[in-house]
Amino acid sequence: MELGDKLSSIAQRGRDQLDHIKTEEATKTALVMPLLAALGYDPFDPREVVPEFTADVGTKKGEKVDYAIRKDDELSILIECKPLGTDLANTQYSQLFRYFGCTEAKFAILTNGLKYRFYSDLDAQNKLDSRPFFIFDLEDFNDGDVEELRKFTKPNFDVEAILSTANRLKYTNLAKRAIEETIKEPPEEFVKFIVSRFYEGRHTRQVVDEFMPIVREAGKLYIKEQVAQRLKGALARNYVDDTIPQPEPVQAQLAPEQDDIVTTQEEIDAYNIVRSILSEVVDVSRIAMRDAKSYCAILLDDNNRKPLCRLHFNTKSIKRIGFFKDKQQELVDIESVSDLFKYRQKLIDTLQEYS
């Protein structure tokens, strides 16, 4: 099983057992140890994964950090665990901080079972940074995140290789977060800068206040248009580029004596969006579309017992998507097929119910 599939399986376990993972020990057993195993370490071999690692630090005697990972008999990673649900951004990690400076470990991880914050000493040697250089979230990760995490797997672990890109990764993530915050709530300086590009009048307080909501809305609109353009480009590659050999066009399978059913372009577009979303967790060849008079079904393994969603697009006044949980359908109104991207996690959850 690929690393991404293993991680998705662990995340699903966390969702399934959420009501029972109440303590730090339960978090370790249900989530942290399986993740270490997915990375190639044996959590039951104390030569590789040392539980309750102890090292006397100054006047502090007998303090423990939850796990220490050894690679080639050298201490490489320290891990401090908190109970599931803990807000790591506002959590003290004093043991990691103290231990890091007096051991040869070059990396430290703070986790609540679902989120993993990776630290090193990029700012000052032998002193743990106050900000992580990488954050991995089991509930929300992409292919790029998996590739970054792969660097910490037992076969690929290389301190110098990780450190060579860690600083850039850290500031790239911080810059991305700053851009996101700027678009959500643009500061006055940013609004003035944008307004100066097209408004020749004086940038008084009143002018800035008037343009503040306009700039905010323009930022959101720009992102929405970029997503739509990317989707349009992907669909165009599927249907327009005749110079590249293409797979057979999508044909909805019809029930007997229902050859009057017409599969619309919107249904095909929605089908391709679902395939795009789920491609990170399943082979897209397993995702099929079967049209009917009342709805168009998107299925796993072309199996009616494994519906991923249903497209209720036959009514002119409204479009609806039927999502499934525990085989029960929940109808959601949408404005356009691109709204499917908002329900990525629902589709992934449904898919994993059949795993």
Side-chain angles (χ1 to χ4, degrees):
M1 186 184 294
E2 289 293 325
L3 178 59
D5 294 331
K6 293 178 182 178
L7 297 170
S8 295
S9 178
I10 296 169
Q12 184 61 49
R13 174 184 299 177
R15 287 188 287 270
D16 292 342
Q17 301 177 357
L18 186 63
D19 293 337
H20 303 282
I21 306 176
K22 300 293 187 182
T23 65
E24 182 179 308
E25 289 304 315
T27 301
K28 293 178 189 176
T29 302
L31 297 169
V32 179
M33 291 174 67
L35 184 129
L36 294 179
L39 296 179
Y41 303 99
D42 184 351
F44 302 105
D45 185 348
R47 294 170 297 181
E48 281 190 7
V49 180
V50 185
E52 298 294 302
F53 178 74
T54 304
D56 293 335
V57 183
T59 59
K60 299 285 187 179
K61 304 295 181 181
E63 280 197 301
K64 297 178 174 62
V65 69
D66 294 297
Y67 295 107
I69 295 180
R70 293 185 178 278
K71 178 74 173 4
D72 299 328
D73 293 327
E74 292 186 359
L75 196 64
S76 55
I77 306 173
L78 302 175
I79 304 174
E80 184 172 342
C81 304
K82 300 297 181 183
L84 182 66
T86 301
D87 180 4
L88 299 181
N90 297 305
T91 297
Q92 296 294 320
Y93 47 100
S94 55
Q95 285 138 304
L96 275 184
F97 191 89
R98 287 195 293 269
Y99 275 35
F100 187 85
C102 66
T103 68
E104 68 271 24
K106 292 301 293 181
F107 302 102
I109 300 174
L110 178 66
T111 180
N112 63 6
L114 290 178
K115 291 183 173 61
Y116 293 78
R117 298 168 71 91
F118 289 73
Y119 298 84
S120 189
D121 57 350
L122 303 175
D123 295 334
Q125 190 171 3
N126 296 326
K127 182 180 179 182
L128 197 66
D129 295 337
S130 60
R131 292 175 171 174
F133 67 86
F134 174 50
I135 299 177
F136 185 82
D137 187 345
L138 269 173
E139 294 185 297
D140 184 17
F141 62 86
N142 55 38
D143 291 344
D145 297 329
V146 173
E147 289 309 307
E148 289 298 332
L149 189 63
R150 195 185 304 278
K151 296 176 184 178
F152 289 88
T153 59
K154 183 179 176 181
N156 297 318
F157 186 81
D158 184 320
V159 172
E160 295 305 319
I162 297 173
L163 288 177
S164 67
T165 59
N167 205 54
R168 181 180 180 86
L169 179 64
K170 172 183 177 179
Y171 287 107
T172 298
N173 288 331
L174 289 172
K176 184 171 66 174
R177 202 171 308 144
I179 292 171
E180 179 183 3
E181 292 171 355
T182 299
I183 291 175
K184 285 183 178 178
E185 292 297 333
E188 182 176 332
E189 294 79 6
F190 180 77
V191 175
K192 286 182 178 179
F193 171 76
I194 295 297
V195 171
S196 69
R197 310 298 292 269
F198 60 84
Y199 182 76
E200 296 181 356
R202 292 181 59 200
H203 300 160
T204 63
R205 167 67 63 180
Q206 182 179 351
V207 169
V208 171
D209 289 344
E210 288 176 355
F211 275 107
M212 181 75 74
I214 295 174
V215 172
R216 184 188 299 116
E217 187 62 29
K220 294 177 181 178
L221 182 60
Y222 173 77
I223 293 175
K224 185 176 181 179
E225 288 176 348
Q226 290 299 303
V227 171
Q229 188 66 31
R230 185 175 178 181
L231 172 61
K232 182 179 178 181
L235 294 175
R237 286 193 295 273
N238 283 338
Y239 297 108
V240 175
D241 194 346
D242 296 329
T243 65
I244 301 175
Q246 298 292 324
E248 290 298 318
V250 175
Q251 296 292 336
Q253 298 188 23
L254 306 181
E257 300 179 359
Q258 290 187 334
D259 56 3
D260 59 329
I261 294 172
V262 177
T263 302
T264 66
Q265 185 62 50
E266 281 189 325
E267 289 170 334
I268 294 174
D269 290 350
Y271 169 64
N272 278 286
I273 292 173
V274 173
R275 282 161 50 97
S276 173
I277 291 171
L278 296 180
S279 64
E280 62 189 72
V281 291
V282 72
D283 185 342
V284 294
S285 65
R286 296 178 61 191
I287 302 175
M289 180 169 69
R290 191 179 298 185
D291 209 350
K293 285 188 176 181
S294 56
Y295 61 82
C296 179
I298 299 179
L299 311 169
L300 180 66
D301 299 328
D302 200 16
N303 187 336
N304 272 329
R305 296 184 178 180
K306 297 181 179 180
L308 296 168
C309 67
R310 287 178 180 170
L311 313 175
H312 299 268
F313 291 177
N314 295 336
T315 302
K316 292 183 178 180
S317 60
I318 193 168
K319 294 183 182 67
R320 287 178 173 169
I321 303 288
F323 295 102
F324 288 85
K325 183 176 182 180
D326 299 327
K327 302 295 179 68
Q328 299 298 313
Q329 183 178 199
E330 173 196 0
L331 291 173
V332 175
D333 295 347
I334 63 170
E335 294 182 1
S336 68
V337 293
S338 63
D339 287 346
L340 266 165
F341 284 110
K342 300 176 183 178
Y343 301 99
R344 169 183 174 276
Q345 196 58 52
K346 281 183 179 291
L347 290 166
I348 292 176
D349 291 347
T350 301
L351 172 69
Q352 292 175 341
E353 283 187 16
Y354 306 129
S355 301

